[in-house]
Amino acid sequence: MGRTVLSSLNESLHRMMGDDDRVIVLGEDLLDPYGGAFKVTKGLSTEFPERVWTTPISEAGFVGVATGMAMRGLRPVVEIMFGDFVLLAADQLINHAAKFRWMYGDRVDVPLVVRLPMGGRRGYGPTHSQTLEKHFLGVPGLVVVAVNPLIDPGELLETAVLKDDRPLLFIENKKMYARPVRAAIDGRIGALRVRRTEGDYPTVTAGFGGPQTAEATLVAYGGMVEIALAAAEEMLIEEERYVEVVVPTALNPFDVTPVLESLATTGRLVVCEEASAAAGFGAEVTAAVCDQGFDLLRAAPMRVAAKAVPIANAPPLEQAILPGQEDIVAALRKSLGGRGQSIRIATG
Amino acid sequence: MAEERFCGPAHRFAATAGSTGEKLYAQMRLIRRFEEELLARFEEGQLAGTTHACIGQEADAAGVINHLRQGDVVFSNHRCHGHFLAYSDRPDLLAAEVMGRATGLVKGRGGSQHICWENFYSNGIQGGIVPVALGMGLAERACGRAGISVVFLGDGTLGEGVVYEALNMASLWSAPVLFVVEDNRWAQSTPVEKELAGEMVARAKAFGIDAGEVESTDAEELYEHFGPLVDEVRRQGKPRMEVIHTYRLCHHSKSDDMRPRQEVEARKAGDPLPLQRARLDDEAAARIEKEVEARIDRAFQWALDQPFPGPESISDPLAR
């Protein structure tokens, strides 16, 4: 088996720490032999004992510490053990790290990266399964980037840590760690044709039939990407309908251009996300499309999202709560079948 | 107001003419008159928003900050004017900032509570600055520099949980950080008896951090007191907390003082300015006062003449 998302991230951290003394890693339970809850930091403390700091259970505290380090010449990478715990550091991120550069008249930079393993489908229950980044989208000054298997996650992390001087949430996905990296070769990933935008945090657009054949645009990021691709495949096999999947990595600031480019062909938009829909990523994408590409739409945009309840522990309940392939397929069918519908949340 | 290279508070203090007593008085006088002038101009409608004066607490700033070197970091809070003026000696830039001018410390974006200049920072969120200041101190060491970090907090801020996360980590990681608690007995309108259980110093000691306290509004006493403490943090590379029991003689922000009149009046006996002035000969004190007055006039006049920032200065915080 080739590289996984996990091994790509782990190798990237090893490479960066080896190349750049300013990189320092902080978080809970990072030291070997444990090497972090999801093993992303495995081996680092053995190789770089001075620069891997295992912390007390103090998310606000160590995010603040890393912020101070970032303002004084280091390139800290913080691991929040479960992304859910980032709420403890919300004040640090929103009232401190995200504000400093602008509030201080551009006198400082805060090159801080906070890694957040998000997502459910592993049976961890209400407080260890969430996808919470929607609460941090739209915070002025705070970048939100989400990993997906179509772009080398380690390269993305390296860009965030070494090239980006802005405070940044790096959204990982627990279920994705074991998945193989499926970066494109010559514009293809297996049977998928893909194109990707330029820039540090590219958007990948993938479809089975190439751009001109697509009839619907499905936007997905992070942990929803592979589910969205499976839904697109099902639509092709079961219905002979081509769906183009647009996969952004930068959630904030969000560039809607690749979505509009796809919509220019398809006119139909479905956005899926693992969090609940209200005031979320899908709402933002939909609003941006209405703002900048309303004329492209031939059907009402649709959102596929989690039910607005905490995420249950029992596997059948968790499955019913989180958006799945069948929910996406249902939304795509609706989008392709009708026109002029009001915006609805399809949750299966 | 000619720009001169910033060489750090200790260097400037040593290079300034006059006795230590005169210099401390001049600094405190500058802080006091600056804030009185601010409050007066608020009344005249020249300033918007709010401000938190440190009238009565000037000796803290003078006592601590004059020991700091160029590379040392200071992180202050909402009540930061005194700390900043002791650090920078730049009333002009602060006046322009508080008056919302484009040439203020941070382009009129931060105002009274959110400033940054050289290695001085402040933020208006209680407690949250403490881990940031800790990270700065740790970075000084990690980068092989000799700087220390000094963070100012108040008795009220000791109610914030993140302070204890920071104390714990400061001790675990032996950080060169001096935590200065200015206990002015009142958290806005709440007396310390209603907001703080146990002992302040014991809180730091519980984490294995050396801690002490001093009850004083005497600038010379505080200056003597903090010299060895700053040295110790620098030399030993480990944290310390020091509590200064003082008193705020003014309101918390503006026209919000509901404290018992008798208590405030009685505390005026401890006003650090008359205390220090009494040590100087009258002629020297009068000369200092005249110089301070002229500087304050110039600073505010300059600030008033500065332009307001226009909407074109609203840059994207995420622009690279």
Side-chain angles (χ1 to χ4, degrees), chain A residues 54-82:
Chain A
T54 202
T55 65
I57 303 173
S58 306
E59 285 82 2
F62 62 76
V63 169
V65 164
T67 300
M69 289 174 160
M71 292 166 79
R72 305 290 303 178
L74 298 174
R75 312 288 297 193
V77 183
V78 172
E79 173 173 302
I80 303 277
M81 181 189 277
F82 280 76

PDB file of all heavy atoms in Angstrom, chain A residues 54-82:
ATOM      1  N   THR A  54       5.148  18.038  24.902  1.00  0.00           N
ATOM      2  CA  THR A  54       3.866  17.498  25.324  1.00  0.00           C
ATOM      3  C   THR A  54       3.324  18.449  26.389  1.00  0.00           C
ATOM      4  O   THR A  54       4.069  18.962  27.220  1.00  0.00           O
ATOM      5  CB  THR A  54       4.009  16.047  25.814  1.00  0.00           C
ATOM      6  OG1 THR A  54       2.734  15.414  25.723  1.00  0.00           O
ATOM      7  CG2 THR A  54       4.522  15.965  27.237  1.00  0.00           C
ATOM      8  N   THR A  55       2.046  18.721  26.317  1.00  0.00           N
ATOM      9  CA  THR A  55       1.476  19.777  27.144  1.00  0.00           C
ATOM     10  C   THR A  55       0.529  19.210  28.192  1.00  0.00           C
ATOM     11  O   THR A  55       0.037  18.092  28.057  1.00  0.00           O
ATOM     12  CB  THR A  55       0.646  20.745  26.276  1.00  0.00           C
ATOM     13  OG1 THR A  55      -0.471  20.012  25.748  1.00  0.00           O
ATOM     14  CG2 THR A  55       1.457  21.321  25.134  1.00  0.00           C
ATOM     15  N   PRO A  56       0.257  20.015  29.212  1.00  0.00           N
ATOM     16  CA  PRO A  56      -0.863  19.660  30.082  1.00  0.00           C
ATOM     17  C   PRO A  56      -2.182  19.771  29.297  1.00  0.00           C
ATOM     18  O   PRO A  56      -2.192  20.282  28.176  1.00  0.00           O
ATOM     19  CB  PRO A  56      -0.819  20.716  31.192  1.00  0.00           C
ATOM     20  CG  PRO A  56       0.299  21.627  30.892  1.00  0.00           C
ATOM     21  CD  PRO A  56       0.901  21.260  29.582  1.00  0.00           C
ATOM     22  N   ILE A  57      -3.262  19.318  29.896  1.00  0.00           N
ATOM     23  CA  ILE A  57      -4.568  19.398  29.227  1.00  0.00           C
ATOM     24  C   ILE A  57      -5.070  20.826  29.383  1.00  0.00           C
ATOM     25  O   ILE A  57      -5.863  21.132  30.270  1.00  0.00           O
ATOM     26  CB  ILE A  57      -5.530  18.356  29.820  1.00  0.00           C
ATOM     27  CG1 ILE A  57      -4.908  16.963  29.691  1.00  0.00           C
ATOM     28  CG2 ILE A  57      -6.883  18.385  29.102  1.00  0.00           C
ATOM     29  CD1 ILE A  57      -5.690  15.859  30.384  1.00  0.00           C
ATOM     30  N   SER A  58      -4.558  21.691  28.536  1.00  0.00           N
ATOM     31  CA  SER A  58      -4.791  23.136  28.656  1.00  0.00           C
ATOM     32  C   SER A  58      -4.864  23.742  27.260  1.00  0.00           C
ATOM     33  O   SER A  58      -3.980  24.482  26.847  1.00  0.00           O
ATOM     34  CB  SER A  58      -3.627  23.793  29.420  1.00  0.00           C
ATOM     35  OG  SER A  58      -3.398  23.186  30.667  1.00  0.00           O
ATOM     36  N   GLU A  59      -5.934  23.442  26.536  1.00  0.00           N
ATOM     37  CA  GLU A  59      -5.980  23.859  25.129  1.00  0.00           C
ATOM     38  C   GLU A  59      -5.858  25.370  24.972  1.00  0.00           C
ATOM     39  O   GLU A  59      -5.133  25.860  24.103  1.00  0.00           O
ATOM     40  CB  GLU A  59      -7.261  23.363  24.447  1.00  0.00           C
ATOM     41  CG  GLU A  59      -7.252  21.873  24.115  1.00  0.00           C
ATOM     42  CD  GLU A  59      -7.608  20.994  25.298  1.00  0.00           C
ATOM     43  OE1 GLU A  59      -7.909  21.549  26.385  1.00  0.00           O
ATOM     44  OE2 GLU A  59      -7.601  19.761  25.147  1.00  0.00           O
ATOM     45  N   ALA A  60      -6.597  26.129  25.795  1.00  0.00           N
ATOM     46  CA  ALA A  60      -6.495  27.581  25.684  1.00  0.00           C
ATOM     47  C   ALA A  60      -5.067  28.017  25.965  1.00  0.00           C
ATOM     48  O   ALA A  60      -4.494  28.840  25.248  1.00  0.00           O
ATOM     49  CB  ALA A  60      -7.461  28.252  26.660  1.00  0.00           C
ATOM     50  N   GLY A  61      -4.502  27.429  27.010  1.00  0.00           N
ATOM     51  CA  GLY A  61      -3.154  27.812  27.415  1.00  0.00           C
ATOM     52  C   GLY A  61      -2.117  27.540  26.349  1.00  0.00           C
ATOM     53  O   GLY A  61      -1.336  28.421  25.989  1.00  0.00           O
ATOM     54  N   PHE A  62      -2.113  26.336  25.789  1.00  0.00           N
ATOM     55  CA  PHE A  62      -1.011  26.071  24.858  1.00  0.00           C
ATOM     56  C   PHE A  62      -1.248  26.655  23.466  1.00  0.00           C
ATOM     57  O   PHE A  62      -0.283  26.918  22.757  1.00  0.00           O
ATOM     58  CB  PHE A  62      -0.572  24.606  24.839  1.00  0.00           C
ATOM     59  CG  PHE A  62      -1.572  23.566  24.407  1.00  0.00           C
ATOM     60  CD1 PHE A  62      -1.885  23.403  23.067  1.00  0.00           C
ATOM     61  CD2 PHE A  62      -2.135  22.706  25.334  1.00  0.00           C
ATOM     62  CE1 PHE A  62      -2.767  22.409  22.659  1.00  0.00           C
ATOM     63  CE2 PHE A  62      -3.032  21.710  24.944  1.00  0.00           C
ATOM     64  CZ  PHE A  62      -3.350  21.568  23.600  1.00  0.00           C
ATOM     65  N   VAL A  63      -2.499  26.910  23.106  1.00  0.00           N
ATOM     66  CA  VAL A  63      -2.708  27.675  21.861  1.00  0.00           C
ATOM     67  C   VAL A  63      -2.201  29.108  22.065  1.00  0.00           C
ATOM     68  O   VAL A  63      -1.567  29.689  21.183  1.00  0.00           O
ATOM     69  CB  VAL A  63      -4.191  27.649  21.431  1.00  0.00           C
ATOM     70  CG1 VAL A  63      -4.447  28.658  20.309  1.00  0.00           C
ATOM     71  CG2 VAL A  63      -4.567  26.245  20.960  1.00  0.00           C
ATOM     72  N   GLY A  64      -2.429  29.658  23.258  1.00  0.00           N
ATOM     73  CA  GLY A  64      -1.900  30.985  23.562  1.00  0.00           C
ATOM     74  C   GLY A  64      -0.383  31.006  23.560  1.00  0.00           C
ATOM     75  O   GLY A  64       0.245  31.917  23.012  1.00  0.00           O
ATOM     76  N   VAL A  65       0.211  30.006  24.157  1.00  0.00           N
ATOM     77  CA  VAL A  65       1.679  29.900  24.172  1.00  0.00           C
ATOM     78  C   VAL A  65       2.214  29.860  22.740  1.00  0.00           C
ATOM     79  O   VAL A  65       3.164  30.569  22.387  1.00  0.00           O
ATOM     80  CB  VAL A  65       2.120  28.639  24.952  1.00  0.00           C
ATOM     81  CG1 VAL A  65       3.575  28.290  24.653  1.00  0.00           C
ATOM     82  CG2 VAL A  65       1.924  28.854  26.454  1.00  0.00           C
ATOM     83  N   ALA A  66       1.578  29.046  21.898  1.00  0.00           N
ATOM     84  CA  ALA A  66       2.043  28.933  20.511  1.00  0.00           C
ATOM     85  C   ALA A  66       1.864  30.248  19.762  1.00  0.00           C
ATOM     86  O   ALA A  66       2.699  30.621  18.929  1.00  0.00           O
ATOM     87  CB  ALA A  66       1.291  27.804  19.804  1.00  0.00           C
ATOM     88  N   THR A  67       0.810  30.966  20.085  1.00  0.00           N
ATOM     89  CA  THR A  67       0.593  32.279  19.471  1.00  0.00           C
ATOM     90  C   THR A  67       1.740  33.227  19.817  1.00  0.00           C
ATOM     91  O   THR A  67       2.293  33.907  18.952  1.00  0.00           O
ATOM     92  CB  THR A  67      -0.748  32.875  19.938  1.00  0.00           C
ATOM     93  OG1 THR A  67      -1.799  31.991  19.543  1.00  0.00           O
ATOM     94  CG2 THR A  67      -0.984  34.248  19.348  1.00  0.00           C
ATOM     95  N   GLY A  68       2.092  33.241  21.099  1.00  0.00           N
ATOM     96  CA  GLY A  68       3.223  34.083  21.522  1.00  0.00           C
ATOM     97  C   GLY A  68       4.517  33.665  20.853  1.00  0.00           C
ATOM     98  O   GLY A  68       5.312  34.505  20.417  1.00  0.00           O
ATOM     99  N   MET A  69       4.733  32.369  20.728  1.00  0.00           N
ATOM    100  CA  MET A  69       5.936  31.868  20.049  1.00  0.00           C
ATOM    101  C   MET A  69       5.957  32.311  18.587  1.00  0.00           C
ATOM    102  O   MET A  69       6.998  32.709  18.053  1.00  0.00           O
ATOM    103  CB  MET A  69       5.978  30.341  20.102  1.00  0.00           C
ATOM    104  CG  MET A  69       6.267  29.773  21.474  1.00  0.00           C
ATOM    105  SD  MET A  69       6.099  27.965  21.425  1.00  0.00           S
ATOM    106  CE  MET A  69       7.053  27.528  22.896  1.00  0.00           C
ATOM    107  N   ALA A  70       4.778  32.216  17.952  1.00  0.00           N
ATOM    108  CA  ALA A  70       4.700  32.570  16.530  1.00  0.00           C
ATOM    109  C   ALA A  70       5.020  34.051  16.321  1.00  0.00           C
ATOM    110  O   ALA A  70       5.614  34.428  15.318  1.00  0.00           O
ATOM    111  CB  ALA A  70       3.311  32.254  15.989  1.00  0.00           C
ATOM    112  N   MET A  71       4.639  34.879  17.282  1.00  0.00           N
ATOM    113  CA  MET A  71       4.885  36.323  17.146  1.00  0.00           C
ATOM    114  C   MET A  71       6.338  36.689  17.405  1.00  0.00           C
ATOM    115  O   MET A  71       6.757  37.819  17.158  1.00  0.00           O
ATOM    116  CB  MET A  71       3.979  37.084  18.116  1.00  0.00           C
ATOM    117  CG  MET A  71       2.508  36.998  17.751  1.00  0.00           C
ATOM    118  SD  MET A  71       1.448  37.528  19.096  1.00  0.00           S
ATOM    119  CE  MET A  71       1.554  39.319  18.943  1.00  0.00           C
ATOM    120  N   ARG A  72       7.098  35.724  17.940  1.00  0.00           N
ATOM    121  CA  ARG A  72       8.485  36.029  18.302  1.00  0.00           C
ATOM    122  C   ARG A  72       9.472  35.113  17.579  1.00  0.00           C
ATOM    123  O   ARG A  72      10.522  34.787  18.126  1.00  0.00           O
ATOM    124  CB  ARG A  72       8.676  35.918  19.819  1.00  0.00           C
ATOM    125  CG  ARG A  72       7.730  36.770  20.652  1.00  0.00           C
ATOM    126  CD  ARG A  72       7.967  38.238  20.566  1.00  0.00           C
ATOM    127  NE  ARG A  72       9.314  38.621  20.944  1.00  0.00           N
ATOM    128  CZ  ARG A  72       9.784  39.874  20.908  1.00  0.00           C
ATOM    129  NH1 ARG A  72       8.998  40.858  20.509  1.00  0.00           N
ATOM    130  NH2 ARG A  72      11.014  40.132  21.266  1.00  0.00           N
ATOM    131  N   GLY A  73       9.119  34.679  16.366  1.00  0.00           N
ATOM    132  CA  GLY A  73      10.130  34.065  15.521  1.00  0.00           C
ATOM    133  C   GLY A  73      10.073  32.564  15.319  1.00  0.00           C
ATOM    134  O   GLY A  73      10.855  32.029  14.545  1.00  0.00           O
ATOM    135  N   LEU A  74       9.168  31.860  16.005  1.00  0.00           N
ATOM    136  CA  LEU A  74       9.082  30.410  15.809  1.00  0.00           C
ATOM    137  C   LEU A  74       7.933  30.080  14.836  1.00  0.00           C
ATOM    138  O   LEU A  74       7.152  30.952  14.471  1.00  0.00           O
ATOM    139  CB  LEU A  74       8.884  29.698  17.147  1.00  0.00           C
ATOM    140  CG  LEU A  74      10.028  29.881  18.157  1.00  0.00           C
ATOM    141  CD1 LEU A  74       9.660  29.250  19.507  1.00  0.00           C
ATOM    142  CD2 LEU A  74      11.323  29.283  17.639  1.00  0.00           C
ATOM    143  N   ARG A  75       7.890  28.818  14.405  1.00  0.00           N
ATOM    144  CA  ARG A  75       6.801  28.363  13.525  1.00  0.00           C
ATOM    145  C   ARG A  75       6.102  27.205  14.247  1.00  0.00           C
ATOM    146  O   ARG A  75       6.295  26.027  13.920  1.00  0.00           O
ATOM    147  CB  ARG A  75       7.332  27.870  12.174  1.00  0.00           C
ATOM    148  CG  ARG A  75       8.320  28.765  11.475  1.00  0.00           C
ATOM    149  CD  ARG A  75       7.764  30.012  10.887  1.00  0.00           C
ATOM    150  NE  ARG A  75       6.793  29.871   9.836  1.00  0.00           N
ATOM    151  CZ  ARG A  75       6.423  30.915   9.058  1.00  0.00           C
ATOM    152  NH1 ARG A  75       6.967  32.121   9.214  1.00  0.00           N
ATOM    153  NH2 ARG A  75       5.521  30.760   8.144  1.00  0.00           N
ATOM    154  N   PRO A  76       5.279  27.512  15.240  1.00  0.00           N
ATOM    155  CA  PRO A  76       4.661  26.443  16.030  1.00  0.00           C
ATOM    156  C   PRO A  76       3.547  25.708  15.293  1.00  0.00           C
ATOM    157  O   PRO A  76       2.782  26.304  14.538  1.00  0.00           O
ATOM    158  CB  PRO A  76       4.101  27.194  17.250  1.00  0.00           C
ATOM    159  CG  PRO A  76       3.950  28.596  16.809  1.00  0.00           C
ATOM    160  CD  PRO A  76       4.963  28.857  15.738  1.00  0.00           C
ATOM    161  N   VAL A  77       3.504  24.405  15.537  1.00  0.00           N
ATOM    162  CA  VAL A  77       2.414  23.559  15.049  1.00  0.00           C
ATOM    163  C   VAL A  77       1.750  22.966  16.283  1.00  0.00           C
ATOM    164  O   VAL A  77       2.387  22.251  17.057  1.00  0.00           O
ATOM    165  CB  VAL A  77       2.937  22.413  14.160  1.00  0.00           C
ATOM    166  CG1 VAL A  77       1.770  21.597  13.603  1.00  0.00           C
ATOM    167  CG2 VAL A  77       3.809  22.962  13.028  1.00  0.00           C
ATOM    168  N   VAL A  78       0.493  23.282  16.474  1.00  0.00           N
ATOM    169  CA  VAL A  78      -0.231  22.784  17.640  1.00  0.00           C
ATOM    170  C   VAL A  78      -1.122  21.637  17.212  1.00  0.00           C
ATOM    171  O   VAL A  78      -1.784  21.712  16.185  1.00  0.00           O
ATOM    172  CB  VAL A  78      -1.103  23.906  18.248  1.00  0.00           C
ATOM    173  CG1 VAL A  78      -2.009  23.358  19.336  1.00  0.00           C
ATOM    174  CG2 VAL A  78      -0.233  25.024  18.798  1.00  0.00           C
ATOM    175  N   GLU A  79      -1.119  20.575  17.994  1.00  0.00           N
ATOM    176  CA  GLU A  79      -2.110  19.510  17.780  1.00  0.00           C
ATOM    177  C   GLU A  79      -3.150  19.599  18.885  1.00  0.00           C
ATOM    178  O   GLU A  79      -2.816  19.557  20.067  1.00  0.00           O
ATOM    179  CB  GLU A  79      -1.441  18.125  17.810  1.00  0.00           C
ATOM    180  CG  GLU A  79      -2.469  16.994  17.761  1.00  0.00           C
ATOM    181  CD  GLU A  79      -1.854  15.606  17.616  1.00  0.00           C
ATOM    182  OE1 GLU A  79      -1.121  15.386  16.635  1.00  0.00           O
ATOM    183  OE2 GLU A  79      -2.095  14.748  18.486  1.00  0.00           O
ATOM    184  N   ILE A  80      -4.414  19.739  18.475  1.00  0.00           N
ATOM    185  CA  ILE A  80      -5.518  19.591  19.425  1.00  0.00           C
ATOM    186  C   ILE A  80      -5.945  18.132  19.289  1.00  0.00           C
ATOM    187  O   ILE A  80      -6.268  17.681  18.194  1.00  0.00           O
ATOM    188  CB  ILE A  80      -6.689  20.523  19.069  1.00  0.00           C
ATOM    189  CG1 ILE A  80      -6.236  21.992  19.018  1.00  0.00           C
ATOM    190  CG2 ILE A  80      -7.853  20.319  20.028  1.00  0.00           C
ATOM    191  CD1 ILE A  80      -6.163  22.715  20.318  1.00  0.00           C
ATOM    192  N   MET A  81      -5.921  17.409  20.379  1.00  0.00           N
ATOM    193  CA  MET A  81      -6.060  15.949  20.271  1.00  0.00           C
ATOM    194  C   MET A  81      -7.305  15.539  19.489  1.00  0.00           C
ATOM    195  O   MET A  81      -7.218  14.813  18.511  1.00  0.00           O
ATOM    196  CB  MET A  81      -6.099  15.330  21.662  1.00  0.00           C
ATOM    197  CG  MET A  81      -6.219  13.820  21.634  1.00  0.00           C
ATOM    198  SD  MET A  81      -6.526  13.128  23.252  1.00  0.00           S
ATOM    199  CE  MET A  81      -4.889  13.033  23.934  1.00  0.00           C
ATOM    200  N   PHE A  82      -8.462  15.997  19.913  1.00  0.00           N
ATOM    201  CA  PHE A  82      -9.695  15.858  19.140  1.00  0.00           C
ATOM    202  C   PHE A  82     -10.115  17.281  18.766  1.00  0.00           C
ATOM    203  O   PHE A  82     -10.124  18.165  19.628  1.00  0.00           O
ATOM    204  CB  PHE A  82     -10.800  15.194  19.967  1.00  0.00           C
ATOM    205  CG  PHE A  82     -10.684  13.691  20.037  1.00  0.00           C
ATOM    206  CD1 PHE A  82      -9.726  13.092  20.853  1.00  0.00           C
ATOM    207  CD2 PHE A  82     -11.538  12.867  19.301  1.00  0.00           C
ATOM    208  CE1 PHE A  82      -9.611  11.710  20.923  1.00  0.00           C
ATOM    209  CE2 PHE A  82     -11.428  11.481  19.372  1.00  0.00           C
ATOM    210  CZ  PHE A  82     -10.462  10.902  20.178  1.00  0.00           C
TER     211      PHE A  82
END
